[in-house]
């Protein structure tokens, strides 16, 4: 058997599709290549040139190279960046994921846990899992193979956090583009 660990919440990424996301506070917009890009503005307007974007409530003005406000004013438009590939995560649901090569299994609490085996069997005790092609044996504390052999359990790994943030340690993270720094109190701090 393999003991499961809780999956981690993906609280802040903006999902464009199954494999691409943008950091928190961004808007997904298509690039000229057809790939997803990220506009560093929340609820932005994606410009038809597929290179730029404008703040919400404005209109793209490709001829003027800017964004037109409702009152006739202009603000500079923003260039999009390439979307972030979410390759390597196994999605459990909209908020939780596990590392590539693992399997999402429910914990006894109902939350998602991560089994570090691909296409694993989730055991009914909601604590352990077994390799594909085996059966959970709660009484023996192991996994039964079809030929009657047993496979020992292994330690599980932590899930992935898809937040668009910088992870400092197991409990602390900073917004994307920041650096983790210790405060004089010893607590984690964020340098923008």
């Amino acid at each position: 058997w393999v003991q499961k660990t809780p999956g981690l919440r993906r609280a802040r990424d903006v999902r464009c599709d199954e494999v691409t996301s943008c950091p928190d506070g961004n808007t997904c917009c298509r690039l000229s290549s057809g790939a997803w890009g990220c506009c560093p503005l929340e609820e932005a307007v994606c410009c038809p040139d597929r290179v730029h974007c404008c703040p919400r409530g404005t209109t793209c003005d490709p001829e003027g190279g800017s964004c037109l406000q409702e009152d006739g004013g202009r603000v500079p438009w923003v260039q999009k960046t390439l979307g972030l590939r979410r390759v390597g995560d196994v999605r459990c649901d909209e908020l939780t994921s596990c590392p590539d090569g693992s399997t999402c299994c429910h914990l006894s609490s109902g939350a998602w846990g991560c089994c570090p085996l691909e296409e694993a069997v989730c055991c009914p005790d909601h604590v352990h899992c077994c390799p594909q092609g085996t059966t959970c044996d709660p009484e023996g504390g192991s996994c039964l193979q079809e030929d009657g052999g047993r496979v020992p359990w292994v330690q599980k790994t932590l899930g992935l956090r898809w937040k668009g943030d910088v992870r400092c340690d197991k409990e602390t993270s900073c917004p994307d583009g920041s650096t983790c720094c210790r405060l004089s109190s010893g607590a984690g701090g964020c340098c923008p």
Side-chain angles (χ1 to χ4, degrees), residues 12-150:
R12 294 188 185 161
D13 71 327
V14 177
R15 282 186 46 231
C16 303
D17 61 18
E18 295 300 310
V19 296
T20 312
S21 64
C22 290
D24 182 36
N26 282 239
T27 302
C28 297
C29 291
R30 291 281 184 190
L31 299 170
S32 53
S33 67
W36 283 108
C38 301
C39 175
L41 301 169
E42 205 162 352
E43 298 178 28
V45 175
C46 302
C47 295
D49 70 353
R50 292 189 161 204
V51 176
H52 300 94
C53 56
C54 289
R56 180 180 60 179
T58 65
T59 307
C60 299
D61 179 20
E63 292 175 13
S66 62
C67 307
L68 290 173
Q69 296 174 315
E70 290 178 13
D71 63 5
R74 292 181 179 272
V75 292
W77 59 6
V78 179
Q79 190 160 347
K80 295 179 271 190
T81 59
L82 192 60
L84 306 170
R85 298 287 297 175
R86 295 170 18 135
V87 176
D89 73 327
V90 176
R91 281 187 42 234
C92 302
D93 62 17
E94 295 299 313
L95 300 172
T96 311
S97 63
C98 290
D100 185 33
S102 22
T103 303
C104 298
C105 291
H106 279 290
L107 300 171
S108 55
S109 67
W112 286 108
C114 304
C115 175
L117 303 169
E118 201 163 357
E119 297 181 28
V121 175
C122 300
C123 295
D125 68 353
H126 297 290
V127 176
H128 301 95
C129 57
C130 289
Q132 181 183 26
T134 65
T135 308
C136 300
D137 179 20
E139 293 176 14
S142 61
C143 307
L144 290 174
Q145 296 174 316
E146 289 179 14
D147 64 4
R150 292 184 179 274

